[in-house]
Coordinates of all heavy atoms in Angstrom, one line a residue:
T522 N 76.5 -3.6 30.9 CA 77.8 -3.7 30.3 C 77.9 -4.8 29.3 O 76.9 -5.5 29.1 CB 78.8 -3.9 31.4 OG1 78.6 -5.2 32.0 CG2 78.8 -2.8 32.5
Y523 N 79.0 -4.8 28.6 CA 79.1 -5.7 27.4 C 80.4 -6.5 27.5 O 81.4 -6.1 28.1 CB 79.2 -4.8 26.1 CG 78.0 -3.9 26.1 CD1 78.1 -2.6 26.6 CD2 76.7 -4.3 25.8 CE1 77.0 -1.7 26.7 CE2 75.6 -3.5 25.9 CZ 75.8 -2.2 26.3 OH 74.7 -1.4 26.4
A524 N 80.3 -7.8 27.1 CA 81.4 -8.8 27.3 C 82.1 -9.1 26.0 O 81.5 -9.3 25.0 CB 80.8 -10.0 27.9
V525 N 83.4 -9.2 26.1 CA 84.3 -9.6 24.9 C 85.3 -10.6 25.4 O 85.9 -10.4 26.5 CB 85.0 -8.4 24.4 CG1 86.0 -8.8 23.3 CG2 84.0 -7.4 23.8
D526 N 85.4 -11.7 24.7 CA 86.5 -12.7 25.0 C 87.8 -12.3 24.3 O 87.8 -12.3 23.1 CB 86.1 -14.1 24.7 CG 87.1 -15.1 25.2 OD1 88.1 -14.7 25.9 OD2 86.9 -16.3 25.0
L527 N 88.8 -11.9 25.0 CA 90.1 -11.5 24.4 C 91.1 -12.7 24.4 O 92.2 -12.5 24.0 CB 90.7 -10.3 25.2 CG 90.1 -9.0 25.0 CD1 90.8 -7.9 25.8 CD2 90.1 -8.6 23.5
T528 N 90.7 -13.8 24.9 CA 91.6 -15.0 25.0 C 92.3 -15.3 23.6 O 93.5 -15.6 23.6 CB 90.8 -16.2 25.5 OG1 90.2 -15.9 26.7 CG2 91.8 -17.4 25.7
P529 N 91.6 -15.1 22.5 CA 92.2 -15.4 21.2 C 93.4 -14.5 20.9 O 94.2 -14.8 20.0 CB 91.1 -15.2 20.2 CG 89.8 -15.3 20.9 CD 90.1 -14.9 22.3
F530 N 93.5 -13.4 21.7 CA 94.6 -12.5 21.4 C 95.9 -12.8 22.3 O 96.9 -12.1 22.2 CB 94.2 -11.0 21.7 CG 93.3 -10.5 20.6 CD1 92.0 -10.8 20.6 CD2 93.9 -9.8 19.5 CE1 91.1 -10.3 19.5 CE2 93.1 -9.4 18.4 CZ 91.7 -9.7 18.5
L531 N 95.8 -13.8 23.1 CA 96.9 -14.1 24.0 C 98.2 -14.4 23.3 O 99.3 -14.1 23.8 CB 96.5 -15.3 25.0 CG 95.5 -14.9 26.1 CD1 95.2 -16.1 26.9 CD2 96.1 -13.8 26.9
P532 N 98.1 -15.1 22.1 CA 99.4 -15.3 21.4 C 100.2 -14.0 21.1 O 101.4 -14.0 21.0 CB 99.0 -15.9 20.0 CG 97.7 -16.6 20.4 CD 97.0 -15.7 21.4
I533 N 99.4 -12.9 21.0 CA 100.1 -11.5 20.8 C 100.4 -10.9 22.2 O 101.5 -10.3 22.3 CB 99.1 -10.6 20.1 CG1 98.8 -11.1 18.7 CG2 99.6 -9.2 20.0 CD1 97.7 -10.3 18.0

Side-chain angles (χ1 to χ4, degrees):
T522 62
Y523 308 95
V525 172
D526 189 2
L527 285 178
T528 308
F530 287 84
L531 288 179
I533 297 173

